[in-house]
Amino acid sequence: MGPPSSSGFYVSRAVALLLAVLAAALLLALAVLAALYGRCARVPPSELLHRGVPDAAPSPPGAQEEPLPTRRTGPTREPAVTATPSSGRPPGPWDQLRLPPWLVPLHYELELWPRLRPNESWAPMLTFSGRVNITVRCTVATARLLLHSLFLDCESAEVRGPLSSGTGDGAVGRVPVDGVWFAFDMQYMVLELGGTLQPGSQYELQLSFSGLVYQDLREGLFFNVYTDQGERRALVASQMEPTFARSVFPCFDEPALKATFNITIIHHPSYVALSNMPKLGQSARRDANGSIWTVTTFSTTPHMPTYLVALAVCDYAHVDQTERGKEIRIWARKDAIANGNADFALNITGPIFSFLEDLFNISYPLPKTDIIALPTFDNSAMENWGLLIFDESLLLMQPNDRVTDKKAVISFILSHEIGHQWFGNLVTMNWWNDIWLKEGFASYFEFGVINNFNPKFPRNEIFFSNILHNVLSEDHALVSRAVSLKVENFTETSEINELFDLFTYNKGASLARMLSSFLNENLFISALKSYLKTFSYSNAEQDDLWRHFQMVIDDQNKILLPATVKSIMDSWTHQSGFPVITLNVSTGAVKQEPFYLGKVKNETLLTRNDTWIVPILWIKNGLTQSLVWLDKSSKIFPEMQVSASDHDWVILNLNMTGYYRVNYDKLGWKKLNQQLEKDPKAIPVIHRLQLIDDAFSLSKNNYIEIETALDLTKYLAEEDEIIVWYAVLVNLVTKDLVFDVNSYDMYPLLKKYLLKRLISIWNMYSTLIRENMATLQDDYLALVALEKLFETACWLGLEDCLQLSRELFKNWVHHPENEIPSPIKSVILCYGIALGSEEEWDFLLNMYANKTKEEEKIQLAYAMSCSKDPWILNRYLEYAITASPFTFNETNVIEVVAASEVGRYIAKDFLVNNWQAVAER
């Protein structure tokens, strides 16, 4: 799955608390509805204990030994189907999160029939039906079957077998199904059998079912409604990861239970059906009403987990290419295909596949790849084998995307999802506790792919910007979790969904990068080749990966480690947080300690004595030094001592490849500050970034004084790297600062201090904006950082920034076809309104009403809150609770108004005076 999105509005604590209460009430309501659904959809509660539900403690699986009945030739008795709440059943395997190991799935024959028709109103939900025949091998004698099923109505259930070892078409017996019931809380379907399945034999479970398809839910089957070629249309697609396959068809929904799939999709003839494999054939089927539907069958998949099953039913067009004999097609709205919006993604997809094939020396095993761009997919992407699914905002280029970071974003996300074809699809983690084995490595190899095609890309700086900065800002010893977790720590399915977070993706990628750095790239890739080859079409645990790294280490004698790869890496993956490494440059003493938020404030909580086995790559006076290891709480490295010379300085953590922060004694910081003021370019860009980011984080959390961090900013008048400026500004000019200090003593001091240093970098980029913004189209870091520079310059009252905002806004108002450059559009719109009058505000409201894209509407709605006129802001709030023409709700309108200097007072008075109306909304 693609990296988690970080977009959205800033929400204050007060509003967050209100939303949390509302969310809790909603969840309670949903829980009640779910319980009602579980009962009403099957049988009344009074009948639960009379129809196929165990009324005593379960007997051992193999207790029933009566012979299997012969195959029936007449009508079969349908089993009773019930739902049983946890309070009404005895303890049993249905109370456990993991399936019992009684059955191993081998093959699925899956047929799905979503009732999507063109030119319908498409209510909030559609229906679908399906059938699945699952071939299983019995490993433990049992008269009871468990498999996953959620929100599905079971219409029939049969068990055939034992199957013959031949074709399977001969006379085969049946095992009676006496009852079917549902353990709703653990999402199980339980089949109570009238006979016992025998170990070593194969059986076929035959199940018919039906369910609902919800709009934009992105869980299981869902549908999108969108506009294409001027018409309203709809499509159906799927999202099975991590545990949503069970809401589409009954299955053994765990990543280690791989099987092959023959998939059939029944759909309206005007739609095309896509799935993991190429189309095998088509036929027609007439429904009970006489309507003709198309039946599309697909070739057999490789062995894969249920979470990779994928399908789409749509009225889309496509573009295609062939790469090494395999077809690649990108599907999107017909308008988007005709406008060439998919061409960029198509042109880079094949080369990414080829690069990774060559890197791992393993060919992509499927005969085709389809990539589909959905109108709504929650700003995400999914790596399904053979059918990758993207939110169209992450795959398609728009005409006004030329001077944005859009190409880089598409390249990163595509590289990530294609990387999963090896990490996740070919080799799958044994269970979700090791999900970082796929998400962490897919995230890491994004940068290898991009660097291969763009060798001049500043790889270390981009990794810091995209990955490392975010996770180090969130990770700490008390609250965050470990990357690799123990299976027994999981008790509910919802806990699996929570694993798709910053630690799985960003920390996982950072640890992979650290491992590569203290080995070398050749050893790193050799170990991964061995790992991928050994576990192809199978499953692996973290220890399996470490074993293959150890094999590579043992086969050479150049790289010597202080412990096994497992011991080193387990110290990072099995405990939360990260260390702070402190160097005393006078003595060469280095120590480690866990990083805590607010070190002094939390002294009573500092009970952890964890240590990490820390690789320390470092530089002295600009020269790279030999790797050393800190494998205990403290150690002395005499070579790290510095002399009294002004030219002597040391920086630990070369290229920020280690997952830790670095602190120095006062002399160490002083030496670095002196070097920055004397010749900042002697310190590489990545380390200027590192010094700023580490120092401000350490000062914020009471490891060093704030003056130490501020001293490092004195040289900034000589800093011409915008990404370093970005690191300074996000640490100095925070939301809290902007919100709180405009009218206080700190603002004029900060203004004077920063403007004197900012003017040089501002002049450089303001000239580019005025003369030729297109020169920045390939400068990813500038496109990422420019908004913060522009926003700060205007907030500090730099007249040239305010004037440029007026110019660009006025030009856009009079000539809307002249788009404001995307990287600074939010700032220009905000200051255009702040410096304007009612006329400009009304213009923006009119533009808002004519926009269709949610992202653009939110941007305009935010800008309208920037007005300095109280009566305009009051009118804005009145619109929010009366006409409410806004994509986001009135709570968000109140929030963005309250976040401004003038609006905070307007919002407070408005809420007091209009509480009844707000409450009714």
Side-chain angles (χ1 to χ4, degrees), residues 317-504:
H318 71 272
V319 287
D320 60 86
Q321 276 186 2
T322 299
E323 181 79 11
R324 295 183 175 178
K326 297 182 179 182
E327 186 177 36
I328 296 169
R329 300 183 297 186
I330 296 188
W331 298 80
R333 291 174 295 106
K334 293 178 179 178
D335 280 342
I337 294 296
N339 292 334
N341 297 356
D343 292 350
F344 174 75
L346 179 68
N347 290 333
I348 66 173
T349 296
I352 294 173
F353 269 105
S354 294
F355 170 73
L356 292 173
E357 283 184 332
D358 294 339
L359 184 66
F360 301 129
N361 197 29
I362 298 176
S363 296
Y364 175 68
L366 273 64
K368 64 89 178 178
T369 298
D370 285 312
I371 304 175
I372 186 168
L374 303 188
T376 304
F377 196 53
D378 196 25
N379 289 317
S380 188
M382 179 62 202
E383 69 267 15
N384 311 299
W385 234 352
L387 178 55
L388 286 69
I389 298 179
F390 279 68
D391 189 300
E392 65 177 24
S393 67
L394 300 178
L395 189 69
L396 305 181
M397 290 287 294
Q398 302 298 330
N400 60 351
D401 284 336
R402 193 165 64 93
V403 188
T404 69
D405 62 352
K406 192 65 170 291
K407 281 187 177 181
V409 168
I410 293 172
S411 300
F412 281 124
I413 303 295
L414 264 173
S415 299
H416 182 99
E417 304 308 330
I418 295 173
H420 275 312
Q421 309 308 300
W422 288 265
F423 293 96
N425 298 8
L426 185 66
V427 179
T428 309
M429 66 279 156
N430 197 50
W431 205 64
W432 299 106
N433 60 308
D434 276 333
I435 189 177
W436 85 274
L437 293 179
K438 80 179 186 80
E439 296 298 350
F441 278 88
S443 298
Y444 170 75
F445 277 107
E446 291 176 30
F447 297 88
V449 171
I450 300 301
N451 191 244
N452 177 72
F453 296 115
N454 303 275
K456 294 183 179 179
F457 249 43
R459 183 174 179 175
N460 292 319
E461 289 79 4
I462 292 177
F463 190 92
F464 170 84
S465 174
N466 287 15
I467 300 289
L468 195 56
H469 170 74
N470 295 330
V471 70
L472 285 178
S473 298
E474 297 294 327
D475 202 3
H476 57 95
L478 291 178
V479 177
S480 59
R481 64 169 182 84
V483 168
S484 181
L485 301 168
K486 294 180 179 179
V487 175
E488 56 266 28
N489 289 351
F490 293 83
T491 58
E492 297 181 7
T493 304
S494 61
E495 294 169 343
I496 297 172
N497 299 318
E498 294 167 2
L499 294 176
F500 292 84
D501 63 8
L502 202 63
F503 302 108
T504 290

Side-chain angles (χ1 to χ4, degrees), residues 733-794:
V733 187
T734 63
K735 285 188 175 74
D736 289 340
L737 180 71
V738 172
F739 190 82
D740 292 335
V741 306
N742 277 352
S743 304
Y744 298 95
D745 293 341
M746 192 186 299
Y747 176 74
L749 296 174
L750 187 63
K751 176 177 179 178
K752 179 180 179 181
Y753 181 82
L754 276 180
L755 280 183
K756 183 169 68 172
R757 291 163 173 80
L758 189 77
I759 194 68
S760 177
I761 191 83
W762 166 259
N763 287 339
M764 179 191 307
Y765 281 96
S766 63
T767 300
L768 288 174
I769 292 169
R770 284 186 167 101
E771 294 181 356
N772 187 10
M773 184 77 177
T775 58
L776 297 177
Q777 62 182 332
D778 295 322
D779 190 342
Y780 175 74
L781 292 175
L783 294 172
V784 167
L786 192 57
E787 181 181 47
K788 186 65 178 178
L789 176 68
F790 207 107
E791 176 186 66
T792 303
C794 285

